[in-house]
Amino acid sequence: MAAVSTPSIGDKIPPSKSKYRPEIDGLRAFAVAAVIINHFNKDLLPSGYLGVDIFFVISGYVITSSLADRQAKNFLDFLTGFYERRIKRLVPALVVFVLVTCILICLFNPDPAVALRTGGASLLGLSNLYLFKQSIDYFARSTELNPFTHTWSLGVEEQFYLLFPFLIWFSGFGQQKVGGARNLFFWVGALTIASLIGFIYLYQINQPAAYFLMPPRFWEMAAGCLVFIGFQKRAKIEQALEQVPPLLVVAGMVGVMFLSTQAAVPATISIVMLSAVLIACLKKGTAAYEFFTLEKVVYVGLISYSLYLWHWTVLCISRWTIGIHWWSIPIQIGIMILTASGSYYLIERPLRRKSVRSRGTVLKWGLICLGTAAMSLLAAGKFLGSRLYTGNNPYETLMTRSRNQSYQSVYTGQQCHLDKSANNLSAGCQLKGNRRETIYFLGNSHADHYRETHFLLNKYLGVSIDGITVSSCVFPPDSRQNECGLAQKKQQERVIAALNPGDIIVISNRYNITEDPIAWMKTEYSVRSLNKFASRAIEKGATVILFGPLPEFQVEPKICTKAWFRPFPPSECEIPSKTMEAERATSRHLMKQLDGRILLFNPMPYIVFGGKFRLIDEDNKPLFFDKDHLTDYANRRYIFPRFRAFLAHNHLI
């Protein structure tokens, strides 16, 4: 995740005057290797993603050391020099990587719009903000299909670079003033404490914010800065840390990387502290120093920026195509090394070493290249996706609804599937029929995904439909859900007031049924609420039907369709029905607690093929548009005919 500042070895600089530390490149190699192992298979090294945090610490250390004793005429000269070096270091490889990867993903992803927008944002140093805005969970499986997810760390570093030069200069450190180092240490130290507190707090309440945003990450790069200043000015501290065996520190770092992601906060703090200590104690004469300065290890460190960029593209394209298997891993690693080496020798090193008379020229052309490339991607996103895709796209007609125009205008979008903070639950989502009965569809998104069934009931049976659902909120309301409880309480009272004899209420939710006692109590409460609501509805002559749960897959359906470039769809595209039945034991127990007058409709048997639940049916048509929501196609072909028969069997229509 992080692009870091690798100092040039400096062929023309006498070794005695060079600040280059080869062991730092060795540490970069260690960090990028951990990240790659984690990205190949999270089970192998669950917290290997913390390699990014090692990069952050190294970056803060190297940037501070590179600015120490650097001469500048004035602040403008200092600032332009800093950004010139950053642009030459980061921009050329990034632009080539993004443009090539955009073309590649368009070949295999039928809908690459999100990927292209992320790529465009990465060129502007904003991909972390874009991913945060999308409320992306970095650890979710869906992130593996976006070839630019990992560029969030570039955004964090680039935003750090907007602030850090000002701290360096105005503290006096960049001007070599007396007390400048002390001022910088104080300012950065204060910001570090605030940032760390923010990280710990945010991770509990808003994990994407803590993960993707720069302020909660500032403390990690600042740690590297503090290490450099502290050791320069406090020799006793450095001498004490030099006594720490570096191999012991490395062992501690590896141990932290085997922790579960559930321990993300203590693991992150530990890896940052250990990285800082390792930078201090990694000295000549130690076994760790000898390892980290091996020629091949240093080489991996030198190409680590390009390797970090390209490794994710290789893995992402592999997941869209042949997959990742034991036999493919050597090939995929080879491609990573080849592309990274090519990027380093053909793009990074030549352009970084190229001398330009005017710093303004570098800044101007760097910004022009970034802006032009980003705007081109954002503008040409749809065109590229539709023209370059090389497979047959089963999603082209997937969401084409057999609805008339008036239905589309009043029965789709936020009018009908509302946010939990919505106040108006009576607006527009009714379809009028020629019969007196009304069917109410209530619940969360797992009621909304039956919307095609809603329409078909109206079209072919003539019943009126009322289908207002509330995102992420179970129905009837659970008082423990704050806004959800308030929103669904309004919904409940609205429906009870409108009920007539013969009306039907269909309820569908996904309950968080787990072994967690709190979630269990919450679900038990929901069942009691359902019984109370059903009793009120039945007293008014209505019928209450509860839809059973559907399987939840752990893979995106788009990589499960058959294509010439995808001969081996992931095994996660199917779930044996026996496995699902075992996992639903809790659901069956809860069903026994329901009011006996509530009718149960189980949609599961209708999407079983050969004893397995599948994301894709035998005609290569997707049944789900994500991991647990049905497509309109699945509604039309499999759910509506069975539910229509269910209504007839129970003499409801």
Side-chain angles (χ1 to χ4, degrees):
M1 334 240 196
V4 292
S5 306
T6 307
S8 173
I9 290 180
D11 297 339
K12 298 180 180 180
I13 299 177
S16 61
K17 296 183 180 180
S18 175
K19 293 182 180 180
Y20 175 64
R21 291 181 60 182
E23 71 274 19
I24 296 296
D25 271 325
L27 185 54
R28 287 195 182 100
F30 171 69
V32 78
V35 170
I36 292 174
I37 292 171
N38 175 263
H39 288 170
F40 261 112
N41 188 332
K42 291 180 173 62
D43 294 333
L44 294 177
L45 199 62
S47 291
Y49 67 91
L50 292 171
V52 150
D53 304 87
I54 300 174
F55 276 133
F56 284 155
V57 177
I58 294 173
S59 184
Y61 179 86
V62 171
I63 289 296
T64 307
S65 65
S66 71
L67 294 175
D69 303 323
R70 184 175 290 276
Q71 300 298 318
K73 299 176 183 177
N74 49 48
F75 178 60
L76 182 61
D77 181 56
F78 172 81
L79 202 62
T80 55
F82 177 83
Y83 288 124
E84 179 203 24
R85 293 188 296 276
R86 294 301 91 219
I87 286 175
K88 290 173 70 175
R89 173 70 182 94
L90 300 176
V91 169
L94 178 63
V95 169
V96 173
F97 154 75
V98 169
L99 293 178
V100 172
T101 300
C102 281
I103 294 173
L104 290 175
I105 196 61
C106 288
L107 298 176
F108 308 112
N109 182 351
D111 184 19
V114 171
L116 297 181
R117 285 195 289 268
T118 310
S122 72
L123 292 171
L124 302 175
L126 301 174
S127 59
N128 62 322
L129 300 180
Y130 175 75
L131 292 169
F132 170 67
K133 185 179 178 181
Q134 303 301 310
S135 298
I136 299 295
D137 176 3
Y138 184 79
F139 301 105
R141 291 291 297 272
S142 59
T143 61
E144 296 176 349
L145 300 180
N146 184 339
F148 301 109
T149 303
H150 67 315
T151 62
W152 71 269
S153 58
L154 297 180
V156 168
E157 285 220 20
E158 288 167 21
Q159 290 153 30
F160 174 77
Y161 295 152
L162 294 178
L163 171 65
F164 195 60
F166 290 87
L167 289 174
I168 290 283
W169 183 263
F170 290 108
S171 66
F173 182 81
Q175 304 173 59
Q176 288 83 51
K177 288 184 177 180
V178 176
R182 184 182 64 251
N183 293 339
L184 181 63
F185 191 90
F186 175 79
W187 290 2
V188 172
L191 291 172
T192 297
I193 294 171
S195 173
L196 177 57
I197 292 172
F199 172 76
I200 295 171
Y201 174 73
L202 277 176
Y203 213 99
Q204 313 308 314
I205 63 170
N206 191 339
Q207 186 265 344
Y211 200 91
F212 288 121
L213 300 184
M214 188 276 287
R217 291 287 187 172
F218 176 90
W219 67 278
E220 299 183 43
M221 290 162 282
C225 170
L226 295 176
V227 167
F228 179 82
I229 301 171
F231 293 164
Q232 291 293 309
K233 301 302 178 182
R234 294 289 184 271
K236 289 183 179 180
I237 298 177
E238 184 176 15
Q239 290 168 5
L241 289 176
E242 284 179 354
Q243 304 306 311
V244 179
L247 278 181
L248 184 63
V249 180
V250 173
M253 295 170 75
V254 173
V256 169
M257 290 179 182
F258 278 101
L259 294 177
S260 165
T261 55
Q262 301 301 315
V265 171
T268 303
I269 295 172
S270 298
I271 209 73
V272 169
M273 293 177 62
L274 290 170
S275 299
V277 172
L278 185 59
I279 290 174
C281 69
L282 197 57
K283 302 297 184 180
K284 291 182 179 180
T286 62
Y289 180 90
E290 296 302 319
F291 172 77
F292 282 120
T293 55
L294 288 173
E295 182 180 357
K296 288 184 172 56
V297 176
V298 171
Y299 175 75
V300 173
L302 287 171
I303 67 170
S304 60
Y305 173 48
S306 286
L307 183 58
Y308 178 75
L309 289 178
W310 285 99
H311 89 280
W312 188 260
T313 292
V314 173
L315 292 176
C316 180
I317 298 300
S318 295
R319 289 188 171 100
W320 278 103
T321 55
I322 65 170
I324 298 174
H325 314 273
W326 65 267
W327 53 265
S328 68
I329 291 176
I331 300 171
Q332 287 153 343
I333 292 176
I335 295 173
M336 291 175 189
I337 297 294
L338 285 174
T339 52
S341 297
S343 175
Y344 176 72
Y345 283 110
L346 300 177
I347 302 170
E348 274 193 72
R349 194 167 69 166
L351 293 179
R352 190 169 72 243
R353 292 181 174 181
K354 186 178 180 60
S355 61
V356 180
R357 291 184 179 180
S358 170
R359 288 176 177 174
T361 301
V362 174
L363 294 173
K364 179 179 69 176
W365 285 107
L367 294 175
I368 288 175
C369 287
L370 287 173
T372 302
M375 294 302 106
S376 298
L377 286 179
L378 297 175
K382 284 192 175 181
F383 173 81
L384 285 174
S386 61
R387 297 301 179 95
L388 297 181
Y389 182 63
T390 59
N392 296 319
N393 184 7
Y395 281 84
E396 285 178 344
T397 57
L398 191 64
M399 302 303 285
T400 301
R401 307 172 189 270
S402 51
R403 304 171 183 173
N404 58 40
Q405 187 58 42
S406 62
Y407 175 82
Q408 290 180 344
S409 64
V410 302
Y411 211 53
T412 57
Q414 291 302 310
Q415 276 186 309
C416 300
H417 188 52
L418 302 172
D419 182 81
K420 59 188 176 184
S421 61
N423 292 317
N424 188 358
L425 290 172
S426 60
C429 290
Q430 290 83 30
L431 290 174
K432 298 299 181 182
N434 54 24
R435 299 171 64 101
R436 66 180 180 84
E437 300 95 345
T438 296
I439 299 182
Y440 294 86
F441 281 85
L442 307 174
N444 52 28
S445 62
H446 295 273
D448 181 69
H449 71 164
Y450 291 113
R451 205 163 286 281
E452 180 72 356
T453 293
H454 305 183
F455 169 68
L456 295 174
L457 288 168
N458 173 263
K459 180 178 180 180
Y460 292 109
L461 301 185
V463 295
S464 297
I465 301 292
D466 183 306
I468 301 177
T469 56
V470 184
S471 176
S472 302
C473 298
V474 298
F475 183 93
D478 182 337
S479 64
R480 296 175 179 84
Q481 289 184 295
N482 301 321
E483 284 185 300
C484 280
L486 294 174
Q488 292 289 34
K489 182 70 175 177
K490 292 179 182 179
Q491 177 82 305
Q492 175 178 269
E493 297 309 317
R494 179 186 72 85
V495 172
I496 289 292
L499 280 178
N500 293 305
D503 287 349
I504 299 169
I505 299 173
V506 177
I507 299 172
S508 181
N509 299 291
R510 175 173 297 284
Y511 293 103
N512 294 320
I513 300 174
T514 69
E515 294 181 0
D516 177 22
I518 295 177
W520 171 258
M521 290 169 58
K522 176 176 165 181
T523 307
E524 291 273 6
Y525 179 87
S526 298
V527 171
R528 292 195 296 271
S529 297
L530 176 57
N531 285 338
K532 291 178 182 178
F533 171 76
S535 180
R536 294 177 66 190
I538 292 169
E539 287 175 2
K540 295 196 69 172
T543 299
V544 178
I545 301 173
L546 179 65
F547 269 41
L550 288 167
E552 182 175 2
F553 294 84
Q554 299 302 315
V555 66
E556 292 296 316
K558 289 182 181 179
I559 62 172
C560 294
T561 56
K562 296 176 183 177
W564 69 267
F565 50 77
R566 190 181 299 117
F568 315 110
S571 60
E572 298 96 326
C573 295
E574 300 178 338
I575 302 176
S577 56
K578 292 182 179 179
T579 301
M580 186 56 61
E581 287 301 317
E583 292 179 356
R584 293 299 176 188
T586 304
S587 298
R588 291 197 298 273
H589 174 73
L590 291 171
M591 295 300 178
K592 293 178 182 178
Q593 300 179 36
L594 292 177
D595 187 315
R597 296 171 294 176
I598 298 175
L599 300 180
L600 301 178
F601 176 76
N602 183 10
M604 275 195 178
Y606 311 126
I607 55 171
V608 173
F609 306 90
K612 295 180 179 180
F613 294 104
R614 295 180 179 177
L615 280 165
I616 311 298
D617 73 2
E618 294 173 321
D619 294 329
N620 198 37
K621 298 289 183 63
L623 301 176
F624 292 78
F625 64 82
D626 61 12
K627 294 184 291 184
D628 57 357
H629 291 92
L630 291 173
T631 61
D632 287 351
Y633 165 77
N635 274 270
R636 287 193 297 270
R637 182 164 180 180
Y638 298 104
I639 301 302
F640 167 69
R642 272 70 174 199
F643 187 59
R644 179 179 183 177
F646 174 87
L647 294 174
H649 176 75
N650 288 279
H651 309 291
L652 296 174
I653 297 296

